[in-house]
Amino acid sequence: MQDLTEGVARFQRDVHPAKAELFAHLATTHRPTTLFIGCSDARVVPELITQSEPGELFVIRTAGNLVPAHAPGPDAVAAGIEYAVAVLGVRGIVVCGHSSCGAMTALAERHDLTATPAVADWLRHADAARARASASASAAEGEVSALVRENVRAQLANLATHPSVARALAQHTLTLSGWVYDIPTGTVEEVDPAGRPPVPAG
């Protein structure tokens, strides 16, 4: 906690004053342009990867960047998606997977998750991706990398089941994008939902 306290002090002393005008504007304005759905992994920092300013991204982070398909009942992920699309009017949604993802590694390597039943239950939202990755993984790519990529595709499909997203897509006011961020190199590749070869994002 000491590191965090010192970080807050540095923010208040050095960062906030340098962006005082921006923060004054943000005090009364919340208009992000993009919903970024990424992994909870501490190594994946959306604002750093995209070099975005405060207020530009609406961020949802989940283990394995998983997006459950729309279903009745309370759901924090669904509520965040609906608010970003229907209230804030974001124009784009990015689902970003990443290299060395612990969630995808656990699935690909069939780890024993009996001691973490909530994790095991949550990772069932990647079942479709797991099935596709097992069929498509090449020796060069490896099963974890294939699963990371197929998982991004699967979560894009799940996103489209949410009513607010489906409406915005039908009205052509929203675009969906899939990315895979490579931690050691910093590269970001775009994942085509149709399964075509990846291309660099940006």
Side-chain angles (χ1 to χ4, degrees):
M1 285 297 294
Q2 182 62 30
D3 289 346
L4 298 184
T5 301
E6 291 173 356
V8 169
R10 286 195 302 273
F11 170 75
Q12 294 173 336
R13 183 183 65 243
D14 302 326
V15 177
H16 193 277
K19 296 181 180 289
E21 188 174 336
L22 171 61
F23 286 114
H25 173 71
L26 292 176
T28 57
T29 304
H30 187 206
R31 279 288 168 215
T33 58
T34 304
L35 166 58
F36 189 104
I37 301 176
C39 186
S40 302
D41 194 302
R43 299 168 295 178
V44 181
V45 184
E47 293 82 359
L48 185 63
I49 296 168
T50 62
Q51 289 295 284
S52 297
E53 289 282 4
E56 293 179 347
L57 296 181
F58 191 85
V59 178
I60 296 174
R61 298 179 70 157
T62 71
N65 46 273
L66 297 177
V67 179
H70 178 71
D75 179 334
V77 177
I81 292 167
E82 183 178 75
Y83 186 75
V85 175
V87 178
L88 297 177
V90 297
R91 298 190 297 273
I93 302 179
V94 173
V95 175
C96 184
H98 67 94
S99 63
S100 305
C101 178
M104 296 303 105
T105 299
L107 290 175
E109 297 180 354
R110 293 157 184 80
H111 291 182
D112 181 2
L113 299 175
T114 54
T116 52
V119 172
D121 193 45
W122 174 252
L123 292 183
R124 291 193 179 95
H125 295 298
D127 282 351
R130 189 176 181 182
R132 290 178 60 176
S134 296
S136 67
S138 66
E141 183 178 32
E143 192 170 351
V144 174
S145 295
L147 183 53
V148 166
R149 195 172 306 284
E150 291 298 340
N151 184 54
V152 169
R153 289 192 180 102
Q155 304 319 310
L156 288 171
N158 285 350
L159 256 178
T161 68
H162 289 255
S164 59
V165 174
R167 282 193 298 271
L169 289 173
Q171 295 165 359
H172 305 289
T173 59
L174 182 70
T175 58
L176 305 184
S177 301
W179 291 359
V180 173
Y181 165 60
D182 187 63
I183 294 171
T185 65
T187 58
V188 176
E189 291 183 343
E190 191 160 357
V191 176
D192 189 278
R196 289 185 287 266
V199 296

